[in-house]
Amino acid sequence: MGKDVIIACDFDSAEKTFDFLSLFKGRKPFVKIGMELYYAEGPQIVKKIKELGHRIFLDLKLHDIPNTVKKSMAVLSKLDVDMCNLHAAGTISMMEAALEGLTREDGTRPLLIAVTQLTSTDEERMKRELLIDKPLTEVVMHYAHNAKIAGLDGVVCSPLEAAEVHKVCGSKFLTVTPGVRFADGELGDQKRVMTPKQAKNIGSDYIVVGRPITASQDPVKAYERCVAEFVD
Ligand code: C5P
C-alpha cells in the first residue's frame, strides 16, 4: 500500500456514516472507524463498510495483558480490516502477542500500528502524573523502536515526528499521522498541525483527516484536495 488519505469517520451512528459515504458515489476512500462508531454499532458496522468496498483502519487502541490482546486481535482479524492498532505502552510482549493473534491461518494479517504517546499528553503531564521524566520526543522514538522490535508495521504519530521516526526505525516503517489541517482551515482542538502537502514532504505514509473533510460544506471536494496535496 502506498501513500493514502484515511478519512476519520467520527460519527455516532451507522446512518450518519452511510449518509456521509454515499456522497462519494463510485469512489471508495480508506476510512478510519474509531471507538465512538464501533461501540455504537458493533462489529456489523465494520462488515457493512467492508462490503461497500472501503479499506478500513480500525482504531480501537488495544491495551491489556498479552493473552487478552492476542485473543481480541484474532477476533478483529476475522473482520478483515486492513489496519488496526494498540498502545505501545502495553510492552513488547503485548505487541508480539497481538501480532500472533492477528495473523490468520494463511499467514496474512492486517497492518498493525502502535500508538506511541497520545498527542493530547504533554511533557508536563507525563512528568507529574505518569512519572516519565524523559523528553516527549525521546519517549515517542523509544516506543516506536519497541514497536519495530516487536515486528509491528509502524506507528501513529504527529506529522512533526514522522521524519524522526523514519530515521530511527527505517523508511519502510509506516507513519500514520493525524493532526492535518488545510492552510486556510480551522484548527479545532488540534494544536500541532500540518497541511497535507507538508505531511507529504516530511514523509508521512498515511494522513488521517477528520473534520476538515467530515465537517466541510463539500466533503468530496475536501477529500480530493487532500489527495491532490498528499498523494498526487
Ligand atoms: O477531526 P480531526 O482531523 O482532528 O480527526 C483526527 C482523528 O485522528 C480523530 O479520529 C482522532 O481521534 C485521531 N487521532 C488524533 N491524534 C492522535 C491519535 C488519533 O487526532 N494522537
Side-chain angles (χ1 to χ4, degrees), residues 3 5 180-184 194-201 207 222-232:
K3 278 187 185 291
V5 175
V180 174
R181 293 293 180 265
F182 292 123
D184 53 1
M194 271 195 189
T195 66
K197 183 94 198 160
Q198 287 168 330
K200 176 185 183 173
N201 292 340
I207 49 172
Y223 171 70
E224 279 166 355
R225 184 175 170 194
C226 284
V227 173
E229 281 192 35
F230 184 70
V231 186
D232 296 341

Side-chain angles (χ1 to χ4, degrees), residues 8 10 32 59 61 117-120 156 178-181 189-190 208-212 214:
D10 293 325
K32 177 171 92 70
D59 177 20
K61 301 188 180 73
Q117 273 292 340
L118 290 172
T119 43
S120 51
V156 181
V180 174
R181 293 293 180 265
D189 54 357
Q190 297 281 13
V208 177
V209 189
R211 288 159 292 178
T214 55

